[in-house]
Amino acid sequence: TQLLEQSPQFLSIQEGENLTVYCNSSSVFSSLQWYRQEPGEGPVLLVTVVTGGEVKKLKRLTFQFGDARKDSSLHITAAQPGDTGLYLCAGPQTGANNLFFGTGTRLTVIP
Amino acid sequence: NAGVMQNPRHLVRRRGQEARLRCSPVKGHSHVYWYRQLPEEGLKFMVYLQKENIIDESGMPKERFSAEFPKEGPSILRIQQVVRGDSAAYFCASSRGGRDTEAFFGQGTRLTVV
C-alpha cells in the first residue's frame, strides 16, 4: 500500500514568514500533484511534478520533487493570509490511474 | 469551458432515506473519481469509474453505496438507507485518464443526515 505522509499536520505562521511543507512516501511515484483546498470548497490543482529533482515555481510557491521520486516539498515565500488552506499532495497508485491523497497540511497565515 | 459540476451543493436527508449525488465531469474527461471528506480530515478515495465501467471500488463500503457513470449523463453516487455516519462532504474529480492523471475537482456535495 502506498502511503503519502505530510508534515507538519498543522502550521500557523505570521504574514510575511516563509514556510516549507513536506510530502513523503516509501514508494516511488510516477508523478505527484499538489492541491490547495479552502474551507467549503473543492481542492484546486496547483502543480504536477513528474521528473525526479524537478523544481517548479508558481509566484511565491516553489515545488520540488525528490530525486528518487519518493518525496516532494512545497515552499512558500512571504506567506499571505490568502495562502490559508489545506495543502494536499497526491499521486497515482501503482498500476492504476486512481489518485492517492496525503494526509494534508492545514496552514493558517495570521495577518 | 465548464469545470466539474456537482449537485446539489448541500443535501439533507433523514436516516433511512436515499441520497443521490451527481457529478458532471469536465468536457472530454472520461474518468471520474469520488472521494469522501470528514470535517478537518483529508480526502478518502471511494471509487474510480470510466464510462460505463467501475475500475476500482476498493474504497467504497460494500453495503448501501453504489456508483455509476453511464454512457450519457452524469456520474451518480448513491447512498441507500443513510445513517448519521454518512454525513460528510463528497467530492468528485475527473481526468482524461491514460497517462494523464491530473484530476480536477468539483465543489462537493455536503450531505447531512438528521
Side-chain angles (χ1 to χ4, degrees):
Chain A
T1 302
Q2 290 172 305
L3 184 65
L4 284 169
E5 291 187 353
Q6 291 187 244
S7 60
Q9 189 175 357
F10 298 95
L11 184 58
S12 182
I13 62 169
Q14 294 288 332
E15 181 176 1
E17 292 183 350
N18 302 332
L19 66 112
T20 302
V21 298
Y22 301 91
C23 173
N24 295 300
S25 175
S26 57
S27 302
V28 174
F29 282 84
S30 57
S31 64
L32 272 179
Q33 298 168 25
W34 283 92
Y35 291 81
R36 179 171 67 211
Q37 184 181 24
E38 297 183 19
E41 300 294 330
V44 174
L45 179 64
L46 297 175
V47 79
T48 299
V49 286
V50 178
T51 307
E54 181 178 4
V55 176
K56 280 192 175 178
K57 291 195 174 187
L58 189 67
K59 295 185 181 178
R60 294 178 293 100
L61 278 59
T62 302
F63 304 85
Q64 185 160 9
F65 201 11
D67 290 340
R69 291 186 286 129
K70 290 183 177 182
D71 55 86
S72 182
S73 64
L74 159 58
H75 181 79
I76 301 179
T77 304
Q80 298 177 2
D83 296 327
T84 293
L86 177 65
Y87 287 82
L88 297 157
C89 65
Q93 290 198 285
T94 302
N97 286 333
N98 169 39
L99 272 182
F100 186 87
F101 277 82
T103 49
T105 292
R106 198 166 293 277
L107 172 66
T108 302
V109 181
I110 302 165
Chain B
N1 187 19
V4 176
M5 303 298 290
Q6 288 188 250
N7 66 82
R9 287 291 307 273
H10 300 274
L11 182 61
V12 179
R13 284 286 178 267
R14 295 186 183 279
R15 280 180 295 171
Q17 289 185 320
E18 178 180 288
R20 277 182 176 248
L21 288 61
R22 295 175 198 79
C23 169
S24 295
V26 172
K27 190 176 180 182
H29 286 189
S30 58
H31 295 238
V32 164
Y33 316 83
W34 285 93
Y35 290 84
R36 177 163 65 178
Q37 186 176 40
L38 294 171
E40 305 300 314
E41 293 190 7
L43 290 160
K44 294 286 169 57
F45 166 73
M46 296 183 73
V47 62
Y48 163 38
L49 310 102
Q50 292 181 34
K51 280 285 186 182
E52 300 184 273
N53 292 305
I54 295 175
I55 305 302
D56 182 351
E57 55 182 348
S58 59
M60 202 153 67
K62 296 278 187 286
E63 296 178 352
R64 303 189 298 109
F65 284 73
S66 62
E68 62 177 12
F69 188 16
K71 188 176 180 180
E72 302 291 338
S75 175
I76 305 286
L77 178 67
R78 183 180 175 206
I79 311 173
Q80 295 178 292
Q81 298 175 326
V82 296
V83 301
R84 288 241 170 93
D86 297 333
S87 295
Y90 292 83
F91 289 97
C92 166
S94 74
S95 75
R96 284 196 184 88
R99 289 184 178 275
D100 182 354
T101 59
E102 285 191 343
F104 297 87
F105 281 80
Q107 291 187 298
T109 293
R110 274 144 194 86
L111 172 66
T112 302
V113 180
V114 297

